[in-house]
Amino acid sequence: MGAGRAVSISLDGVRDKNLMQLKKLNSVLFPVRYNDKYYADALASGEFTKLAYYSDICVGSIACRIEKKEGGAVRVYIMTLGVLAPYRGIGIGTKLLNHVLDLCGKQNIGEIYLHVQTNNEDAINFYKKFGFEITETIHNYYTNITPPDCYVVTKYIAQPQPKK
């Protein structure tokens, strides 16, 4: 690395041809194995699922699912957001989350949420910095990891009011 050279962090969409990158990241980052439905939902979400590159090395991702609520409103569920340990703390997770939050604002999506293991204080604190709140505790949510409990962490996004 040259002295003073700005390091570029870029985002790229997930498609069939680079889906293995997401699978490889998930196998390293998370204690859970994800099924085909997870990957189908990630691909179907389009711009809401991204890979993050640090100087052309794939180091992180966010994968979301778009959900329709009763009454037709749409909300976003963050299935996973992760960055490889050596690349944490330099804004990659922030860039991924801000990308999805910006999309929610542009598409008038008023709610975004996720599940976080109750002992994952780093993740809880990360999301709180962006205005997420713990809205529920679910006991025995996880089957093969300890603790099995999770928090539902939610951010409600204020929708622009129509001008009168």
Side-chain angles (χ1 to χ4, degrees):
M1 294 258 224
R5 183 172 165 253
V7 173
S8 72
I9 299 168
S10 59
L11 303 184
D12 190 21
V14 176
R15 303 173 285 288
D16 284 329
K17 74 177 177 104
N18 64 4
L19 190 61
M20 280 310 295
Q21 293 273 33
L22 181 60
K23 290 183 178 184
K24 202 173 285 187
L25 276 172
N26 285 348
S27 72
V28 173
L29 289 168
F30 303 111
V32 178
R33 292 292 153 258
Y34 293 96
N35 60 22
D36 290 343
K37 182 178 180 345
Y38 164 97
Y39 293 102
D41 287 344
L43 286 168
S45 79
E47 284 291 302
F48 286 88
T49 294
K50 289 287 186 186
L51 294 171
Y53 292 85
Y54 176 91
S55 291
D56 300 326
I57 304 163
C58 187
V59 298
S61 66
I62 189 166
C64 299
R65 178 173 68 225
I66 310 301
E67 300 179 344
K68 288 218 176 3
K69 291 169 47 173
E70 285 182 34
V74 172
R75 68 180 179 175
V76 172
Y77 174 64
I78 299 175
M79 298 187 294
T80 54
L81 167 57
V83 175
L84 296 174
Y87 299 93
R88 291 180 189 153
I90 57 173
I92 296 169
T94 294
K95 186 168 183 139
L96 286 161
L97 184 56
N98 277 333
H99 169 78
V100 168
L101 292 173
D102 289 348
L103 282 176
C104 288
K106 287 178 186 156
Q107 297 186 24
N108 294 326
I109 295 171
E111 181 182 347
I112 182 166
Y113 77 107
L114 63 145
H115 295 99
V116 177
Q117 201 173 3
T118 53
N119 68 339
N120 191 344
E121 292 186 21
D122 287 347
I124 294 162
N125 291 331
F126 174 78
Y127 288 105
K128 283 184 172 178
K129 284 193 304 195
F130 292 88
F132 284 75
E133 300 169 10
I134 294 171
T135 52
E136 187 183 348
T137 302
I138 302 174
H139 296 287
N140 299 313
Y141 178 77
Y142 299 106
T143 52
N144 297 322
I145 54 177
T146 305
D149 305 334
C150 79
Y151 294 126
V152 177
V153 183
T154 306
K155 178 178 175 83
Y156 296 100
I157 301 163
Q159 297 304 305
Q161 299 303 311
K163 293 185 171 62
K164 295 186 179 184

